[in-house]
Amino acid sequence: MKIHLETGAGANIIRSYGTGEITVNQQTYTASLIIMPDRIVDWGPHSAAGLALKDFLLIADLEPEVVVLGTGSHLRFPAPAATQPLIQARIGLEVMDTAAACRTYIFSWAKAGAWRPRC
């Protein structure tokens, strides 16, 4: 799905997403990453099945209010023990397939008034 924007300067905006790739601003990524409004962080897991405690420790260290976790083309929940760093830091976790996670990220920016999508 391609997304066209009116604004978004200075922010990490998901421009498009598809099977195995996400384009943020002008860069296309094919590996796991953490997208935040002000930065993009390389992230280790190669699949949802490979999510481990260390992966969620890295996220907890970034101190987000909520994590929207895209797990590929299908919804896959991480092991509860792996998510303990988020629970202990009182960070919300929403798990969904990657397409839904991208739409949620886009919607949250639009709702915050940071930018408005246009068709």
Side-chain angles (χ1 to χ4, degrees):
M1 169 184 264
K2 287 208 178 252
I3 301 155
H4 302 280
L5 305 172
E6 289 183 11
T7 63
N12 289 318
I13 305 299
I14 296 174
R15 302 286 181 177
S16 65
Y17 56 89
T19 303
E21 67 179 37
I22 296 174
T23 300
V24 180
N25 301 330
Q26 304 305 319
Q27 177 74 35
T28 299
Y29 297 89
T30 58
S32 297
L33 62 142
I34 299 169
I35 305 170
M36 299 181 75
D38 60 343
R39 63 188 141 165
I40 297 173
V41 179
D42 290 329
W43 200 38
H46 297 287
S47 69
L51 289 168
L53 181 72
K54 65 180 175 55
D55 301 313
F56 291 99
L57 281 168
L58 175 66
I59 294 174
D61 286 345
L62 297 171
E63 300 180 340
E65 290 182 32
V66 67
V67 173
V68 177
L69 177 64
T71 60
S73 60
H74 301 289
L75 175 64
R76 294 179 184 95
F77 287 94
T83 65
Q84 287 304 306
L86 301 182
I87 294 167
Q88 291 170 354
R90 302 181 57 84
I91 297 170
L93 174 64
E94 295 291 334
V95 181
M96 52 196 75
D97 64 65
T98 298
C102 288
R103 291 189 304 268
T104 300
Y105 181 88
I106 292 162
F107 177 77
S108 69
W109 272 101
K111 186 175 178 184
W115 53 270
R116 294 184 307 275
R118 66 178 165 83
C119 300

